[in-house]
Amino acid sequence: MSEAAKQMRVLVVGATGLIGGEAIAIGAADPRVRILGLSRREATLPPGTRAEMVVADPQDWAQSIRTLKPHVVINALGTTWRKSGKSEEGFRAVDVDLVLEVARAAKNAGATDFIHVSSVGAAASSSNFYLKTKGEAEKALTGLKFRRLDIVRPGLLRGARGGDRRLKERAAIIASPLTDLFLHGGARKFRSIRGSEVATAAIAFALEKAGGRFIHENDGLHLAAKRYRRTLESAD
């Protein structure tokens, strides 16, 4: 069997975002992984990055996914209230409808595992629209019955996002080294986390063999990323 045939085909959807871009860079450096990227616009990749990128309109993503034939999908897709036109319908169209379209297309194309980047506090029963929407997406994904479903619930994401940051979000990131110190016990899950750490954990989940449904919050994400880095070190 060729080396390419042995590699896990991992598709990153939302390749131009903070976590998606980091996942592509990290996965592309792992010889066990063949990274595929799907986005609606060109993604800027580090020189020498080994990745197959597809740029297409979302209405054509199902066909693109059938062509790419991934084993695992990392869904880092998401919008913001501002980008959605400050519309609940527009927000839901991306964070629920498009996510489910991607998941269904992936399953139909033969993908067995799905890794979904959600949000800390997500719950379909929440009175908060943002968290309710995230929770509804999680619930719907569970119903698709992938062999393995990893639901990733990070808190405030740190990392370069250019002009996508809102003033309040920038202030929260600056204050996070201090505010994180006050989050203990059950509140630890609300601590901030670097986008690169979440992406590293996502690649780790893509290589897991156990099936089931798993929810990962702050501490679990750090542990998964740490274990992944150790496997790379031991391989060297």
Side-chain angles (χ1 to χ4, degrees):
M1 186 181 292
S2 69
E3 189 64 30
K6 295 178 184 177
Q7 289 177 315
M8 181 72 70
R9 294 174 64 85
V10 179
L11 172 63
V12 179
V13 182
T16 57
L18 173 60
I19 294 175
E22 294 280 8
I24 286 176
I26 293 163
D30 190 329
R32 298 170 294 177
V33 172
R34 181 175 178 183
I35 282 287
L36 315 167
L38 179 60
S39 68
R40 68 181 76 198
R41 65 179 188 275
E42 291 286 348
T44 302
L45 301 177
T49 300
R50 299 180 300 104
E52 182 179 344
M53 294 296 300
V54 173
V55 178
D57 189 278
Q59 67 182 10
D60 298 321
W61 281 5
Q63 178 57 49
S64 298
I65 292 170
R66 284 195 292 271
T67 300
L68 292 168
K69 294 182 172 61
H71 300 125
V72 183
V73 173
I74 296 175
N75 175 59
L77 189 64
T79 189
T80 64
W81 185 244
R82 179 175 59 81
K83 286 184 176 180
S84 69
K86 297 183 179 180
S87 157
E88 291 189 0
E89 183 179 349
F91 189 89
R92 190 183 296 276
V94 174
D95 279 53
V96 178
D97 299 342
L98 187 54
V99 166
L100 292 179
E101 287 175 22
V102 166
R104 292 188 185 105
K107 190 160 189 186
N108 290 337
T112 58
D113 301 3
F114 198 86
I115 300 157
H116 175 61
V117 181
S118 183
S119 171
V120 66
S125 59
S126 177
S127 59
N128 177 283
F129 172 74
Y130 177 84
L131 297 179
K132 178 181 175 65
T133 303
K134 294 291 187 181
E136 288 174 349
E138 292 182 4
K139 185 176 181 179
L141 288 171
T142 300
L144 295 181
K145 299 189 181 304
F146 281 95
R147 184 197 74 90
R148 180 182 175 104
L149 174 63
D150 290 277
I151 294 174
V152 177
R153 292 179 177 171
L156 177 67
L157 291 171
R158 304 195 313 272
R161 268 188 173 174
D164 282 349
R165 296 289 191 189
R166 293 163 296 178
L167 183 59
K168 289 183 178 179
E169 191 176 16
R170 291 176 186 273
I173 290 171
I174 292 171
S176 62
L178 178 61
T179 55
D180 285 350
L181 296 176
F182 293 93
L183 298 174
H184 300 287
R188 287 177 60 88
K189 65 184 180 182
F190 294 102
R191 288 185 174 185
S192 66
I193 187 168
R194 291 198 64 81
S196 58
E197 191 80 345
V198 177
T200 302
I203 295 296
F205 301 144
L207 293 165
E208 290 285 355
K209 292 182 170 56
R213 178 180 181 273
F214 305 89
I215 294 177
H216 312 278
E217 294 175 333
N218 190 281
D219 288 350
L221 294 171
H222 283 298
L223 286 172
K226 187 176 182 179
R227 285 197 302 269
Y228 176 77
R229 287 189 287 266
R230 282 179 176 170
T231 64
L232 294 181
E233 290 169 2
S234 61
D236 292 339

